[in-house]
Amino acid sequence: MDKIKELTKGKAKSLFSTADNEKLVMHFSDDTSAFDGKKKEALLGKGAVNNQFNAFIMDHLAENGVETHHIEVLNSNDSLVWSLKMFPIECVIRNRASGSICRRLGTEDGLILENPLFEFFLKDDDLGDPLINDEHIISFGWATKEQIDEMKKLTYKVNSILTELFIKSNLILVDFKVEFGVCSQGKILLADEFTPDGCRLWDSETLKKMDKDRFRQGLGDVVESYHQVADRLGMNIIVD
Ligand code: ADP
Ligand code: TMP
Ligand code: ASP
């Protein structure tokens, strides 16, 4: 399906209209951003690996009962998705403490949590994506109680499915962020992306960081690490 018009250009992806107004083309660019857009760089080949990585994960989640917006891969950097009304919210699950929770609570990097910890963040770069709770979401009308419960249930399910998938490839899923939207039939679908840009993945023996923390912390070999993760999972990434 052809791209007609660029509707939105985000920090890492663009959305294009298509001849079918229920479907969009999602273009994964090489643009890489961190700290709410304060650090930016184009990393050659990142868009292609992320597009195909995302498709593999979305297909795996669908096979395991999580409905997603992903329809099909169109080419190296583009996928066809269902057009959704997005919640302005990010759903995070942490299996170990890392990143912002360590700064917030003074926790050591890598601390194993007693239970997977769910957190909501407001999607607003200008405000630095603040931590919010269910009460904020209901009071501001960003989602209903039923929608909150559904997003939490689905995010925990994603965590169980992917923790098991990654551990088989000797990778620890430390934490991740997902987004949801509502389709024309009113159903909540997993949207946006699941790639090493939006999660933390550590080698289970050495605890080497294999995700976007390599970019955030200037560790180098960012795209190479994403390819190594894809290889371990048995993906066949095509680079044009
Ligand atoms: P950001 O908005 O943080 O800069 P991206 O560059 O990843 O992020 O842009 C992708 C945008 O597309 C995000 O705002 C995301 O919420 C939105 N989005 C993801 N999936 C869908 C979908 N199926 N329908 C509509 N919008 C979507
Ligand atoms: P944090 O430690 O910065 O709160 O992030 C937790 C996880 O969620 C980490 O894997 C990165 C991901 N994440 C994003 O990808 N984008 C975001 O805007 C936020 C808040 C988190
Ligand atoms: N995804 C956010 C950004 O691009 C936050 C981050 O990854 O650090 O700024």
Side-chain angles (χ1 to χ4, degrees):
M1 190 165 294
D2 292 330
K3 293 185 260 199
I4 296 180
K5 184 173 175 259
E6 188 170 37
L7 302 174
T8 59
K9 184 171 164 57
K11 297 189 297 293
K13 304 191 291 300
S14 292
L15 293 173
F16 292 83
S17 60
T18 68
D20 181 339
N21 66 10
E22 294 218 28
K23 294 175 184 170
L24 300 171
V25 171
M26 182 170 263
H27 172 80
F28 288 73
S29 77
D30 288 346
D31 295 345
T32 312
S33 136
F35 312 120
D36 305 312
K38 288 184 203 78
K39 177 172 175 166
K40 281 193 243 174
E41 208 176 307
L43 300 175
L44 189 66
K46 195 212 62 165
V49 67
N50 271 6
N51 178 40
Q52 297 166 66
F53 193 108
N54 177 63
F56 180 97
I57 298 291
M58 291 278 170
D59 286 345
H60 183 76
L61 290 171
E63 280 160 23
N64 287 278
V66 177
E67 285 193 75
T68 85
H69 72 154
H70 180 74
I71 302 172
E72 60 176 333
V73 168
L74 299 173
N75 57 51
S76 63
N77 288 63
D78 294 342
S79 285
L80 192 65
V81 301
W82 293 109
S83 174
L84 306 181
K85 187 169 182 308
M86 299 297 291
F87 295 101
I89 287 166
E90 306 189 325
C91 300
V92 167
I93 282 193
R94 302 176 193 276
N95 297 305
R96 290 183 180 230
S98 196
S100 72
I101 198 168
C102 296
R103 296 191 291 278
R104 229 182 308 132
L105 302 179
T107 316
E108 93 186 64
D109 190 36
L111 179 82
I112 298 170
L113 301 170
E114 300 285 334
N115 259 315
L117 173 67
F118 184 99
E119 291 178 335
F120 279 121
F121 292 87
L122 179 66
K123 212 173 140 52
D124 188 324
D125 285 335
D126 293 341
L127 298 178
D129 288 349
L131 179 73
I132 52 171
N133 65 27
D134 304 29
E135 304 287 325
H136 295 92
I137 295 174
I138 291 166
S139 295
F140 284 94
W142 294 318
T144 65
K145 170 86 176 72
E146 291 69 33
Q147 290 171 328
I148 289 171
D149 291 346
E150 180 71 4
M151 284 190 271
K152 280 190 188 170
K153 191 180 88 189
L154 289 169
T155 310
Y156 277 111
K157 189 163 176 181
V158 167
N159 188 46
S160 318
I161 296 166
L162 296 186
T163 294
E164 195 185 320
L165 176 77
F166 286 121
I167 207 67
K168 286 188 197 142
S169 298
N170 282 325
L171 291 162
I172 299 169
L173 180 59
V174 171
D175 60 26
F176 64 91
K177 179 269 297 181
V178 284
E179 296 179 26
F180 294 93
V182 182
C183 71
S184 57
Q185 288 94 45
K187 213 167 197 184
I188 295 182
L189 304 185
L190 177 66
D192 203 51
E193 67 178 293
F194 193 104
T195 70
D197 266 6
C199 69
R200 291 192 169 92
L201 288 168
W202 294 356
D203 179 276
S204 54
E205 274 147 42
T206 63
L207 303 186
K208 181 182 168 191
K209 297 177 195 290
M210 312 280 289
D211 53 72
K212 200 167 81 173
D213 269 348
R214 300 201 69 76
F215 174 70
R216 292 190 189 93
Q217 298 175 14
L219 301 173
D221 295 333
V222 182
V223 179
E224 292 77 1
S225 288
Y226 291 18
H227 275 284
Q228 284 166 19
V229 173
D231 285 349
R232 286 199 198 186
L233 289 162
M235 296 180 206
N236 180 26
I237 306 285
I238 295 154
V239 184
D240 283 344

